[in-house]
Amino acid sequence: MEHPDITRTLKTGYPIQDEREQAVSDFPIEDHFGSEIREGDKYFEDGAGRVVLESNAEDYLIEVIGVNYRDAIN
């Protein structure tokens, strides 16, 4: 006879201690810049399949697209 926790673990896998570490197959693990994507994060995917977190959008525009940011001065 097995302990009920062992039976449950064998059936469903080990419990995750921290919800933020939970692996979800609906979204990628990292974006183009190596930043971890967690549940609830906003990200986009470009036509080449690069995934970028919203917080890395400026880096994407500069490094991948080649955008030059400028200040408007009167």
Side-chain angles (χ1 to χ4, degrees), residues 1-53:
M1 181 168 161
E2 276 183 356
H3 189 278
D5 289 344
I6 294 173
T7 304
R8 185 179 61 245
T9 300
L10 291 173
K11 187 175 184 179
T12 63
Y14 289 102
I16 295 175
Q17 298 297 324
D18 186 351
E19 279 182 10
R20 294 174 299 167
E21 295 177 18
Q22 185 173 6
V24 178
S25 62
D26 292 27
F27 54 83
I29 296 170
E30 291 184 345
D31 79 344
H32 178 71
F33 297 98
S35 297
E36 181 180 4
I37 299 175
R38 296 182 173 195
E39 188 171 356
D41 285 345
K42 292 182 180 182
Y43 65 92
F44 64 89
E45 185 174 349
D46 69 8
R50 289 179 286 249
V51 175
V52 180
L53 277 169

Side-chain angles (χ1 to χ4, degrees), residues 56-74:
N56 289 333
E58 185 175 332
D59 292 335
Y60 170 81
L61 290 171
I62 293 169
E63 294 178 26
V64 177
I65 303 298
V67 171
N68 293 314
Y69 277 91
R70 308 211 177 183
D71 290 328
I73 301 173
N74 289 339

